[in-house]
Amino acid sequence: VATVSLESLNAADEAGVIAALGDIYEHAPWVAQAVCGQRPFATLAALHDAMMAAVRAAPADRRLALIKGHPDLAGKAARVGSVTADSRAEQTSAGLDRLSDAEFTQFHRLNNAYREKFGMPFIICVRRHGRDSILRQFESRLHNSVAAETETALAEIFRIAALRLDQRLEAPDRLRVHGRLSTHVLDTHGGTPAAGVAIELFELPASGEPRPIASAATNRDGRTDEPLIAGQPLPIARYELRFHVAAYFARLRTPQGDPPFLDVVPVRFAVGEPEGHYHVPLLVTPWSYATYRGS
Amino acid sequence: VATVSLESLNAADEAGVIAALGDIYEHAPWVAQAVCGQRPFATLAALHDAMMAAVRAAPADRRLALIKGHPDLAGKAARVGSVTADSRAEQTSAGLDRLSDAEFTQFHRLNNAYREKFGMPFIICVRRHGRDSILRQFESRLHNSVAAETETALAEIFRIAALRLDQRLEAPDRLRVHGRLSTHVLDTHGGTPAAGVAIELFELPASGEPRPIASAATNRDGRTDEPLIAGQPLPIARYELRFHVAAYFARLRTPQGDPPFLDVVPVRFAVGEPEGHYHVPLLVTPWSYATYRGS
Amino acid sequence: VATVSLESLNAADEAGVIAALGDIYEHAPWVAQAVCGQRPFATLAALHDAMMAAVRAAPADRRLALIKGHPDLAGKAARVGSVTADSRAEQTSAGLDRLSDAEFTQFHRLNNAYREKFGMPFIICVRRHGRDSILRQFESRLHNSVAAETETALAEIFRIAALRLDQRLEAPDRLRVHGRLSTHVLDTHGGTPAAGVAIELFELPASGEPRPIASAATNRDGRTDEPLIAGQPLPIARYELRFHVAAYFARLRTPQGDPPFLDVVPVRFAVGEPEGHYHVPLLVTPWSYATYRGS
Amino acid sequence: VATVSLESLNAADEAGVIAALGDIYEHAPWVAQAVCGQRPFATLAALHDAMMAAVRAAPADRRLALIKGHPDLAGKAARVGSVTADSRAEQTSAGLDRLSDAEFTQFHRLNNAYREKFGMPFIICVRRHGRDSILRQFESRLHNSVAAETETALAEIFRIAALRLDQRLEAPDRLRVHGRLSTHVLDTHGGTPAAGVAIELFELPASGEPRPIASAATNRDGRTDEPLIAGQPLPIARYELRFHVAAYFARLRTPQGDPPFLDVVPVRFAVGEPEGHYHVPLLVTPWSYATYRGS
């Protein structure tokens, strides 16, 4: 995605603003247009607030049209391409482009039930969810009232817009739309950071095989050079970290039993706050370990 | 298996002793006969020592015949039944009666290689091993010298005999042939034993699905009423305990995130000492846990 | 204290019962007399219940006389000896016989204030309290109403009686009047129980020096041969365990820094349930440790 | 201490260099003079290396004079003031200016014994030691040979010089002469950093009262805003951290027993590497805690 600076946006003419921000809200360049006169914006947050206020201030039918302008999730539209590039990339991130026929059918059934009850597409900020979580949201939100669901749809649209803005604009501030998942390994046998421990991260779907997300090895500080996930929301899902500790202790020639009492240590946990910081470390000897949600 | 008391054995005639102990050593009632005159035995350990000494004292060719009298592991003999009942039960315990065709072929190949090199069957106390461990032993022992391997075969025969004696005889003492695997769960959030936590134990083969071994729920002391494994050697293998902690904390209405940060906590470890005591507890809050090899 | 069996008590004449149980309630042999006709008692608990019921069923003035028959705590009476032997031993256990002049004055002041407000002595089951806790109870109970305080005094008298009964009688059951404080040390560096670790237990008064209570060394199981406290209530107080871990690891020649990162590990905790089981273990490497209230 | 930039030093005339660096080596401006011609120095490390090389390259008697030019530790000289300002500040840091008469006598005795054996003063980089550690070094180094001790004295002089250089000069690099002691508190009951926990740090002398070093409260991240010790070597000594956890949990209205099972948690540890990073965190619930040497 080409980025643009908030500064240049503040200096652009209306056509330039719409060119830059017209698709922040799906098929609704009027939102960008509505905030043109409020420039300059000192921060990204101010711009985001102004655009949300413009949506809130619009007539109800225009707001409803905005909602209805969104594509069905994993629907026919997404398959044939009449959606914005952003929408397509977002749906891809949750694996919605890789549905099995059975899953596609299930999504299709939910889509139809949702449209029948609410007369609008199901809107969710997919970057904040794993596939199972989207499905749970879908099932759960079907029980909402129309009024509550319209509010929820707007809230999700604002989340989508915030992510698009944060990705698109260079600005002195960032929106708080990203989470972070990190780890470190401490060798409490030797009293040092554990260097060179191979770590794998998997997403655990409710059914089917674990899906590899990231892998890394710890550095001299027992940390990974980069967080395992950063620069994006953490999809709401279950995860498994795998720490290859027997190989680490074997390199140090530390007695650890034959076969080693511990080998690959699995740590399973769920993420429920996509914008949260999850630090899930391992304190380990060949005979014990501890883990926790740290900070 | 019908049991007999050491006391009655001490009082029996020679035919009675051979009837009771003749199959402790596979197809070798002469071992039982050899110790008849040394009665009475005060303890099971004394009887076991005497029988081992009789084997050691026998002429080399008789000892070799004893070794050669054992069935091939997972071999044709075991399939058609010309082995003792004890042998069959022992081989069943390690799953050797449930080999796939590929596995049967692999065992057959190893059996043949072993017989070719050593001129005797591969003998191992199978109750002390999981299937992967037997295979590793098989591969590894193929590299031994004939002398070393003959010693190893005898040592395994003595282990088999000890297990049979311990199972067969009522006596004031027990042989140290059993291990124990136990656990407990401590709720360090509430500062109490965690009661009612569902626990499952699986054996983890090198390939294929985890094999369920035991399941239990913790009692008021946070322990299981019975050890997860007891009264037998702990097969050398890799295991996984699964602690259902989210369900436990949900019953207590303890906040634990949505979805719960922890749900089913897996703890993987290997057993390397079949006669050892493995206590693998879990200290847990909704946000952290620790485990260790305890005592 | 000479003990008597419940069985012989059931068979004794009334004089014998009064001789055995007449001083369970301070200066009130009528309580023992009142339950004579209800014999035989199958259990100690049944006897205790019957005696409490007799107190409850007595006329109010008799019950008040029972309360008033108790000595002042740490008062003049205790100094010159006109109290029962049980009372004196109980007061000694909390160190009330070793008060400084200032403390004696403070107790005296509280005694007077209490007598003035309630017209009776302050009664507390001193075996359940450390000195600071008695003082806190004293200050706190001064704020009670007369009715509430009369109830509290009775409850304490019943606790005192239960302890005396449990100590005096041989019976098939025991009253739940004792607590237990225990520990164990697990060497998570080596994956074994830590044997030979010196452990000290101190009571920590609000002011002044720690008071040594017990000391022990861990055995092969990492436990102490006896609980640190057992066979009595655990006095409500603050305690400190001191684990001599550097000496332990030094014997094993485990690298632990120079000087050792850890040396004597102090663990401070409070006991609030005199009849509770407090297990306070240490999981330790030369570079880390964990402790918790276990079971 | 006034600082000077490496840049201006590189541009200064010889008198300026000597004015700036003449007292880096005690009473030995010739060391500064010797490196004047090697300027410019790109880094502080290069300057330090050059000055050490100049000392090494000097004739043996000059080197010995440098050593002998140092004041006695805690000696008469330090009392009446004929030492450099740096020396006095350094000796003050270890509490050598606050010796009791008995301690002064002990130091005096060691000083004399040392001078008698080695013919020079005992030199040690006092900023790297607590008082007990200095004493242990003194006793231990008395057993060295003259050659070994001369080497040791030089090594200590280089350490002293490095600290002075690092403090005196602004440069693009820093010498690795500082350690760091930090902590953080994680509330594993709530799964969050523990904010607002009062923490105290004491130095524990071998005898006498703990000496307060620092105190702080944890911020929203469960950390202290500043490390407990930074910007200096960590004196080799024993320390105690005190974490006020009962007050923290009381503010959150977390049940923790009455009285709270834990109150002020003491963590004792020793520092052996003055230039090391010691991170000593606390993971805590009202019923358990863990600590370790982290990174």
Side-chain angles (χ1 to χ4, degrees):
Chain A
V1 179
T3 60
V4 57
S5 73
L6 184 59
E7 197 176 2
S8 69
L9 204 73
N10 280 330
D13 59 15
E14 187 179 291
V17 172
I18 293 175
L21 304 182
D23 55 356
I24 293 295
Y25 286 80
E26 191 92 1
H27 300 311
W30 58 265
V31 183
Q33 193 173 21
V35 302
C36 261
Q38 300 171 36
R39 291 177 300 162
F41 293 106
T43 62
L44 199 47
L47 169 60
H48 181 44
D49 287 347
M51 293 181 87
M52 289 193 291
V55 172
R56 292 267 181 220
D61 58 347
R62 195 163 208 191
R63 217 158 42 234
L64 193 58
L66 166 65
I67 293 176
K68 292 191 176 174
H70 282 73
D72 279 347
L73 197 66
K76 203 186 299 178
R79 290 212 157 178
V80 300
S82 69
V83 297
T84 61
D86 276 343
S87 254
R88 197 172 320 111
E90 286 155 12
Q91 301 201 3
T92 302
S93 75
L96 296 182
D97 59 329
R98 283 162 292 155
L99 297 177
S100 68
D101 285 350
E103 288 166 330
F104 184 78
T105 302
Q106 183 180 18
F107 267 101
H108 202 65
R109 177 183 59 74
L110 287 164
N111 259 340
N112 288 350
Y114 190 93
R115 272 201 176 275
E116 181 146 343
K117 174 163 184 188
F118 298 109
M120 58 189 192
F122 175 75
I123 302 176
I124 189 169
C125 179
V126 295
R127 285 199 194 275
R128 300 176 76 251
H129 296 271
R131 205 188 306 181
D132 296 326
S133 175
I134 289 173
L135 204 61
R136 280 199 308 272
Q137 287 288 316
F138 222 149
E139 301 274 12
S140 150
R141 283 170 52 186
L142 267 172
H143 301 293
N144 280 354
S145 69
V146 172
E149 193 54 22
T150 306
E151 253 325 292
T152 303
L154 267 187
E156 293 293 320
I157 286 172
F158 292 152
R159 283 172 162 159
I160 294 167
L163 277 165
R164 291 177 179 178
L165 277 177
D166 193 76
Q167 185 175 29
R168 193 80 58 82
L169 264 74
E170 292 156 26
D173 61 325
R174 305 307 324 155
L175 300 179
R176 298 174 62 99
V177 291
H178 294 167
R180 191 176 64 212
L181 174 61
S182 59
T183 186
H184 79 273
V185 186
L186 193 74
D187 170 357
T188 48
H189 182 276
T192 62
V197 177
I199 299 174
E200 296 165 293
L201 174 68
F202 292 84
E203 184 184 331
L204 300 181
S207 63
E209 290 299 299
R211 189 161 74 93
I213 302 283
S215 65
T218 51
N219 56 27
R220 283 181 50 193
D221 291 329
R223 302 177 185 275
T224 58
D225 290 339
E226 303 292 330
L228 296 167
I229 305 180
Q232 61 166 87
L234 303 180
I236 295 173
R238 294 179 62 242
Y239 296 88
E240 178 169 305
L241 281 164
R242 296 184 189 160
F243 298 92
H244 292 247
V245 305
Y248 165 78
F249 284 119
R251 281 195 302 276
L252 298 182
R253 304 191 180 287
T254 305
Q256 51 180 338
D258 177 24
F261 179 65
L262 301 176
D263 188 349
V264 177
V265 169
V267 173
R268 288 188 189 166
F269 61 94
V271 163
E273 307 162 29
E275 292 78 25
H277 290 184
Y278 286 75
H279 185 66
V280 184
L282 189 74
L283 315 181
V284 66
T285 80
W287 309 98
S288 66
Y289 62 89
T291 188
Y292 50 89
R293 179 169 179 191
S295 62
Chain B
V1 179
T3 60
V4 58
S5 74
L6 185 59
E7 198 176 2
S8 70
L9 204 73
N10 280 330
D13 60 14
E14 186 177 293
V17 171
I18 291 174
L21 303 183
D23 55 357
I24 294 295
Y25 285 80
E26 191 91 0
H27 300 310
W30 58 264
V31 184
Q33 192 173 22
V35 302
C36 261
Q38 299 171 37
R39 291 177 302 162
F41 293 106
T43 62
L44 198 47
L47 170 59
H48 180 45
D49 287 347
M51 294 182 85
M52 290 193 291
V55 171
R56 293 267 180 220
D61 57 350
R62 196 162 208 193
R63 218 160 38 236
L64 193 57
L66 166 65
I67 293 175
K68 292 189 177 176
H70 281 72
D72 278 348
L73 197 65
K76 203 187 300 179
R79 290 213 159 177
V80 301
S82 69
V83 298
T84 61
D86 276 342
S87 253
R88 198 174 319 113
E90 285 155 11
Q91 300 201 3
T92 301
S93 76
L96 296 182
D97 59 330
R98 284 163 292 155
L99 296 178
S100 68
D101 284 351
E103 288 166 331
F104 183 78
T105 303
Q106 184 181 19
F107 268 102
H108 201 65
R109 177 184 60 75
L110 286 164
N111 259 342
N112 288 350
Y114 189 94
R115 272 202 176 277
E116 181 146 341
K117 173 163 183 187
F118 298 110
M120 59 189 192
F122 175 75
I123 302 176
I124 189 169
C125 179
V126 294
R127 285 198 193 275
R128 299 178 76 253
H129 295 271
R131 205 189 304 181
D132 297 326
S133 174
I134 289 174
L135 203 62
R136 281 197 308 271
Q137 287 289 316
F138 222 149
E139 301 276 10
S140 150
R141 283 169 52 185
L142 267 172
H143 302 292
N144 280 354
S145 69
V146 172
E149 193 53 23
T150 306
E151 253 326 292
T152 301
L154 266 187
E156 293 292 320
I157 286 171
F158 292 153
R159 284 173 162 160
I160 294 167
L163 275 166
R164 290 176 178 179
L165 277 176
D166 192 77
Q167 184 176 30
R168 192 80 57 81
L169 263 76
E170 293 156 25
D173 61 325
R174 307 299 335 148
L175 300 179
R176 297 174 61 101
V177 291
H178 295 166
R180 189 176 66 211
L181 173 61
S182 59
T183 186
H184 79 274
V185 186
L186 193 73
D187 171 357
T188 48
H189 182 276
T192 63
V197 177
I199 299 175
E200 297 165 292
L201 175 67
F202 292 83
E203 184 184 331
L204 300 181
S207 63
E209 291 297 301
R211 190 161 72 92
I213 301 285
S215 65
T218 52
N219 57 25
R220 283 181 50 194
D221 291 329
R223 303 177 184 276
T224 59
D225 289 339
E226 303 291 331
L228 296 168
I229 305 180
Q232 60 166 86
L234 302 181
I236 294 172
R238 295 179 61 241
Y239 296 88
E240 177 170 305
L241 281 165
R242 296 183 189 162
F243 298 91
H244 293 247
V245 306
Y248 165 78
F249 283 118
R251 281 195 302 276
L252 298 181
R253 305 191 181 285
T254 306
Q256 52 180 336
D258 175 26
F261 180 65
L262 301 176
D263 187 350
V264 177
V265 169
V267 173
R268 289 190 186 163
F269 60 94
V271 163
E273 306 162 31
E275 292 79 25
H277 290 185
Y278 286 74
H279 185 65
V280 184
L282 189 74
L283 316 181
V284 67
T285 80
W287 310 99
S288 66
Y289 62 89
T291 187
Y292 50 88
R293 179 170 180 190
S295 61
Chain C
V1 180
T3 61
V4 57
S5 74
L6 185 59
E7 198 176 4
S8 69
L9 203 74
N10 280 331
D13 59 15
E14 186 178 292
V17 171
I18 292 173
L21 304 182
D23 55 357
I24 293 295
Y25 285 80
E26 191 91 359
H27 300 311
W30 58 266
V31 183
Q33 193 174 19
V35 303
C36 261
Q38 300 172 34
R39 292 176 301 162
F41 294 106
T43 61
L44 199 46
L47 170 59
H48 181 44
D49 287 347
M51 293 181 86
M52 288 192 292
V55 172
R56 292 265 181 221
D61 58 348
R62 197 165 208 189
R63 215 156 44 234
L64 193 58
L66 166 64
I67 294 177
K68 293 190 178 176
H70 282 72
D72 277 347
L73 197 67
K76 204 186 300 178
R79 291 214 156 175
V80 301
S82 67
V83 299
T84 62
D86 276 343
S87 254
R88 198 173 319 114
E90 287 155 12
Q91 301 200 2
T92 302
S93 75
L96 296 183
D97 60 329
R98 283 164 291 154
L99 297 177
S100 68
D101 284 350
E103 288 165 331
F104 183 78
T105 302
Q106 183 180 20
F107 268 102
H108 202 64
R109 178 184 58 76
L110 287 164
N111 260 341
N112 288 350
Y114 190 94
R115 272 203 177 274
E116 181 145 343
K117 173 163 183 187
F118 298 110
M120 58 188 193
F122 175 75
I123 302 176
I124 189 168
C125 179
V126 294
R127 286 200 194 274
R128 300 176 75 252
H129 296 272
R131 204 189 306 181
D132 297 326
S133 174
I134 288 174
L135 203 60
R136 279 198 309 272
Q137 288 289 315
F138 222 149
E139 301 274 12
S140 149
R141 283 171 52 186
L142 267 171
H143 302 292
N144 280 355
S145 69
V146 172
E149 193 53 23
T150 306
E151 253 324 294
T152 302
L154 267 187
E156 294 292 319
I157 287 172
F158 292 154
R159 283 172 162 158
I160 295 167
L163 276 165
R164 290 177 178 179
L165 277 176
D166 193 76
Q167 184 176 30
R168 192 80 57 81
L169 264 75
E170 292 155 26
D173 62 325
R174 307 300 333 150
L175 300 178
R176 297 173 62 99
V177 290
H178 294 166
R180 190 175 65 212
L181 173 60
S182 58
T183 187
H184 80 274
V185 186
L186 193 73
D187 170 358
T188 48
H189 183 276
T192 62
V197 177
I199 298 174
E200 296 164 292
L201 174 67
F202 293 83
E203 184 185 330
L204 300 182
S207 64
E209 291 299 298
R211 190 162 71 92
I213 302 283
S215 65
T218 52
N219 57 26
R220 284 181 50 194
D221 291 330
R223 301 177 186 275
T224 58
D225 289 339
E226 303 291 332
L228 295 169
I229 305 179
Q232 61 167 87
L234 303 181
I236 295 173
R238 295 180 59 242
Y239 296 89
E240 178 169 305
L241 281 165
R242 295 184 190 161
F243 298 91
H244 292 246
V245 306
Y248 165 78
F249 284 119
R251 282 196 302 276
L252 298 181
R253 303 189 182 287
T254 305
Q256 51 181 338
D258 176 25
F261 179 65
L262 301 176
D263 187 349
V264 177
V265 169
V267 174
R268 288 189 188 165
F269 60 94
V271 162
E273 307 162 29
E275 292 79 25
H277 289 184
Y278 286 75
H279 185 65
V280 185
L282 189 74
L283 316 180
V284 66
T285 79
W287 310 98
S288 66
Y289 62 90
T291 187
Y292 50 88
R293 180 170 178 189
S295 62
Chain D
V1 179
T3 61
V4 58
S5 72
L6 186 58
E7 199 175 1
S8 68
L9 204 74
N10 280 330
D13 60 14
E14 188 179 292
V17 171
I18 292 173
L21 304 183
D23 55 357
I24 294 295
Y25 285 80
E26 191 90 0
H27 301 309
W30 58 265
V31 183
Q33 192 175 21
V35 303
C36 261
Q38 300 172 36
R39 292 176 301 161
F41 293 106
T43 62
L44 200 47
L47 169 59
H48 180 44
D49 287 348
M51 293 181 87
M52 289 193 291
V55 171
R56 293 265 181 223
D61 58 349
R62 195 163 209 191
R63 217 159 38 234
L64 193 58
L66 166 64
I67 293 176
K68 292 190 177 176
H70 281 74
D72 277 347
L73 197 66
K76 203 185 301 179
R79 291 212 157 178
V80 300
S82 68
V83 298
T84 62
D86 277 342
S87 254
R88 196 170 323 113
E90 286 154 12
Q91 300 201 2
T92 302
S93 76
L96 296 182
D97 59 329
R98 284 164 291 154
L99 297 178
S100 69
D101 284 351
E103 288 166 331
F104 183 79
T105 302
Q106 183 181 18
F107 268 102
H108 201 66
R109 178 184 59 75
L110 286 163
N111 260 341
N112 289 348
Y114 189 94
R115 273 203 176 273
E116 180 147 343
K117 174 163 183 186
F118 299 110
M120 58 189 190
F122 174 75
I123 302 176
I124 189 168
C125 180
V126 294
R127 286 200 194 274
R128 300 178 74 251
H129 296 272
R131 204 187 307 181
D132 297 327
S133 175
I134 289 174
L135 203 61
R136 280 199 308 273
Q137 288 288 314
F138 222 149
E139 301 275 11
S140 150
R141 283 170 53 185
L142 267 171
H143 302 293
N144 280 353
S145 70
V146 171
E149 193 53 23
T150 305
E151 253 326 294
T152 301
L154 267 187
E156 293 292 320
I157 286 171
F158 292 154
R159 284 172 162 160
I160 294 166
L163 275 166
R164 291 176 178 179
L165 277 177
D166 192 77
Q167 185 176 29
R168 193 80 57 83
L169 264 76
E170 292 155 27
D173 62 325
R174 307 298 337 148
L175 300 179
R176 298 173 61 100
V177 290
H178 295 167
R180 191 175 65 211
L181 173 60
S182 58
T183 186
H184 78 274
V185 186
L186 194 73
D187 171 356
T188 49
H189 182 276
T192 63
V197 177
I199 300 174
E200 296 165 293
L201 174 67
F202 292 84
E203 185 184 330
L204 300 181
S207 65
E209 291 298 299
R211 189 162 72 94
I213 302 284
S215 65
T218 52
N219 56 26
R220 284 181 49 195
D221 291 330
R223 302 177 187 275
T224 58
D225 290 338
E226 303 291 331
L228 296 168
I229 304 179
Q232 60 168 87
L234 303 181
I236 295 173
R238 294 179 60 242
Y239 296 89
E240 177 169 305
L241 280 165
R242 296 184 190 161
F243 298 91
H244 292 247
V245 305
Y248 164 78
F249 284 119
R251 280 196 302 276
L252 299 182
R253 306 192 179 284
T254 306
Q256 51 180 336
D258 176 24
F261 180 63
L262 301 177
D263 187 349
V264 176
V265 169
V267 173
R268 287 188 189 164
F269 60 94
V271 162
E273 306 161 31
E275 291 80 25
H277 289 185
Y278 286 75
H279 185 66
V280 184
L282 189 74
L283 315 181
V284 66
T285 80
W287 310 98
S288 66
Y289 61 90
T291 188
Y292 50 89
R293 178 170 180 189
S295 62

